[in-house]
Structure formats: C-alpha cells, structure tokens
Amino acid sequence: MLRYLEAVRHGETPINAADPAAARPYLPDSEVFLTERGERQATDVGRRFAALPELPDLVLCSPYPRARRTWELAVAELRSAPEFRIDDRLHDRDRGRFRVMSQQRARLLHPDEAAAEDRDPLGYRPPEGESFRDVADRVGAVVAELLGPGPERVLIVAHDAVVLMLRQVLEHLPDAEILALAERGLAGNGSVTSWQRDPATGFRLLAYDVRTHLTS
C-alpha cells in the first residue's frame, strides 16, 4: 500500500534557460533535451536518493525525453534500480498552438486568449491545448491506481505542471491556493516534492520544491 510519494521535476532544458520573453523556434517535446546544467541536476537527484535509507519501489516517468534522461542519469547513482515505467499521463501540460513560444510571448501576441486565461487560469485551454484541470484529471487517474494494493514508495519524474496539480489532487487544495503557489513560482528544475500517506487521513505534504541537493 502506498505510504510515500515523491515527485521530481526534470533537469534544466534550453527552454528553461532562455529569456522567457524571447521568440524561439518550434521544438516538439521529443526534441527538448537537458542542458549540461540539467544533466548535473539529474545526477544530483540520483545522489540525493542514493543517500536515503530506502529507495523508491516504483518510478513512474513522463514519456518526454527530458524526464526520461533525468531518471537515466539519476538511477546511475543508485545502488540498485527500482522498477521503472513510462506513464503517458504524466506528460507536461500541452499548450497547443502556443507550444512554439513562451507563455509571456503568447500572451503578448494573443491578447484575447490572455484575457480568457485571466478569467479562468486553471480551466483555460489554449487553442488545441489543455488546461491545468485537464492535467489534474490525468494525474488524478494515476494517483487513484496507486491507492490500491501495490508499492509503498513511489517516485514520479515529470514536469512543473504535474507537480503543481499533484498538490491539488493529493492535498485537496482550493483553486485560490493553487493559483497562489503558481504565482510564487512553480517547482524548479531538479527539485523534489514529497508526501506521506495515512490511509485514514490521506496525504500530508512533507516538503515542496526542495533544491538543497543541487550543486548547480
């Protein structure tokens, strides 16, 4: 039965390192890889887990290469490899037509869409994309499957939107609190967020967006 759940955001990518207001060429998610710094962060994640008395029993990973590479480098630091699965439901939020540009630039170039997003930040879907509520639905389906008989310690390697909506799903946070978290800044590259589960009372946050293990 699940007792501990942790979530790691992938290491830094060129998009994360770029000026958020700048234009950038289209990069499909299959071509977004880690920077050198991102690879160091992934190694740091592995060393962090290697120092713990217990390793995860199961690792669930986003299908995107930046998340898969993060775990590939992390697991190389461990004394043994946990069971590993790719779960397509853990991909980053799909921003549809706006995936070709930063959020800031999309808002600048498409003021009507920006206004719609301002009216309903969690429910807004960009053209051909998905909302944060859509992310919560698929993340919630993953969590529901973990609540039955199975591993005690699970690690998810994914994206900032997944970590954010895990908080809402696991902690039953109201929309206002989720928006306040997003305003303060989403989970950083290579960060770890963790929860402990009591079968009677549910999940309790242990730590959010921890980066003390990162050396760069």
Side-chain angles (χ1 to χ4, degrees):
M1 180 179 293
L2 182 64
R3 293 174 52 237
Y4 294 97
L5 179 64
E6 294 187 281
V8 167
R9 185 187 177 194
H10 62 79
E12 182 189 77
T13 70
I15 291 172
N16 302 143
D19 178 353
R24 64 172 184 252
Y26 172 71
L27 280 176
D29 284 301
S30 62
E31 296 180 14
V32 179
F33 294 94
L34 302 183
T35 61
E36 289 185 8
R37 183 186 185 205
E39 295 208 341
R40 292 195 299 269
Q41 290 171 337
T43 297
D44 289 338
V45 167
R47 290 172 180 165
R48 184 259 189 198
F49 281 95
L52 298 178
E54 295 182 79
L55 294 176
D57 303 307
L58 171 66
V59 177
L60 298 177
C61 188
S62 160
Y64 291 171
R66 55 192 184 271
R68 296 175 67 167
R69 179 60 174 162
T70 295
W71 180 244
E72 179 181 301
L73 291 167
V75 74
E77 301 297 317
L78 304 184
R79 56 190 177 272
S80 61
E83 181 182 354
F84 175 80
R85 299 180 200 161
I86 297 292
D87 193 315
D88 291 339
R89 296 169 295 182
L90 296 175
H91 67 79
D92 203 0
R93 179 192 176 207
D94 185 352
R95 296 178 60 240
R97 295 181 194 171
F98 296 158
R99 69 172 71 95
V100 301
M101 63 187 78
S102 69
Q103 184 174 1
Q104 292 89 332
R105 189 166 181 83
R107 289 177 62 84
L108 177 66
L109 297 178
H110 301 276
D112 290 345
E113 294 292 332
E117 182 176 26
D118 290 340
R119 288 192 295 271
D120 186 8
L122 297 179
Y124 165 75
R125 290 189 182 98
E128 301 176 14
E130 63 177 352
S131 69
F132 281 101
R133 295 196 196 286
D134 295 327
V135 178
D137 286 344
R138 51 184 169 81
V139 166
V142 174
V143 170
E145 291 178 6
L146 294 173
L147 296 183
E152 290 190 356
R153 308 180 75 93
V154 175
L155 171 64
I156 288 175
V157 182
H159 310 273
D160 52 2
V162 170
V163 176
L164 180 69
M165 300 321 292
L166 274 171
R167 291 210 56 183
Q168 184 162 55
V169 168
L170 298 176
E171 302 169 49
H172 305 290
L173 298 180
D175 289 353
E177 192 164 345
I178 288 296
L179 292 172
L181 281 170
E183 181 68 23
R184 291 195 293 270
L186 299 177
N189 295 114
S191 66
V192 180
T193 298
S194 55
W195 299 265
Q196 184 172 3
R197 179 183 177 230
D198 182 320
T201 60
F203 286 91
R204 175 173 63 89
L205 181 71
L206 298 177
Y208 174 58
D209 191 23
V210 173
R211 308 182 207 180
T212 52
H213 54 284
L214 300 178
T215 58
S216 64

